[in-house]
């Protein structure tokens, strides 16, 4: 057996197809079923289970960022320099996902590092709460 296969380094065609979908998504956050639908529309025969398995592998390798959203499942996006440096906000009501990049959060992160000796990893940090639309809807009741 090939040494790479024995180590688990072997990359399948599905691995590269999924990687290409994420590369062409322009930083968009996609769910596994959306990636599956894109591949299907391209005429590729890749099962949904394979998509999930390869996304898990790509996340382990540090190529994609996995963000859990309420009721929407996990979203995946490229873990490029831009995505690695900002935080995500996820609405616990509707599952909306937004990027957070501001000086105030940077100040908080600096405080945590300076006063608590803890380094926060933006690529793995997601804040959960209610988006403005869901807050408005709640007030309307």
């Amino acid at each position: 057996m090939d040494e790479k296969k024995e180590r688990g380094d072997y990359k399948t065609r599905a691995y590269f197809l999924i990687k290409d979908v994420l590369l062409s998504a322009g930083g968009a956050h996609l769910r596994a079923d959306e990636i599956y639908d894109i591949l299907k529309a391209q005429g590729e025969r890749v099962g949904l289970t394979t998509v999930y398995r390869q996304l898990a592998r790509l996340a382990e390798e540090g190529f994609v960022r996995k963000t859990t959203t309420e009721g929407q499942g996990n979203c995946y996006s490229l873990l490029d320099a831009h995505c690695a440096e900002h935080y995500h906000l996820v609405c616990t009501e509707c599952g909306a996902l937004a990027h957070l990049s501001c000086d105030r959060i940077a100040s908080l992160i600096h405080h945590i590092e300076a006063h608590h000796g803890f380094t926060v990893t933006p690529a793995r940090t997601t804040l959960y709460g209610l988006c403005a639309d869901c807050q408005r809807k709640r007030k309307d009741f």
Side-chain angles (χ1 to χ4, degrees), residues 57-100:
R57 183 175 185 179
L58 288 162
E60 285 175 19
E61 292 175 353
F63 184 75
V64 300
R65 178 178 182 169
K66 175 178 143 183
T67 304
T68 302
T69 61
E70 293 292 318
Q72 304 289 322
N74 296 320
C75 289
Y76 299 87
S77 59
L78 287 182
L79 188 56
D80 59 10
H82 170 71
C83 196
E85 295 302 319
H86 70 257
Y87 303 86
H88 282 159
L89 300 173
V90 174
C91 180
T92 56
E93 189 120 340
C94 71
L97 189 148
H99 294 176
L100 173 66

Side-chain angles (χ1 to χ4, degrees), residues 113-128:
E113 290 174 354
H115 296 276
H116 303 282
F118 192 87
T119 300
V120 177
T121 307
R124 297 187 51 99
T125 304
T126 302
L127 303 172
Y128 295 88

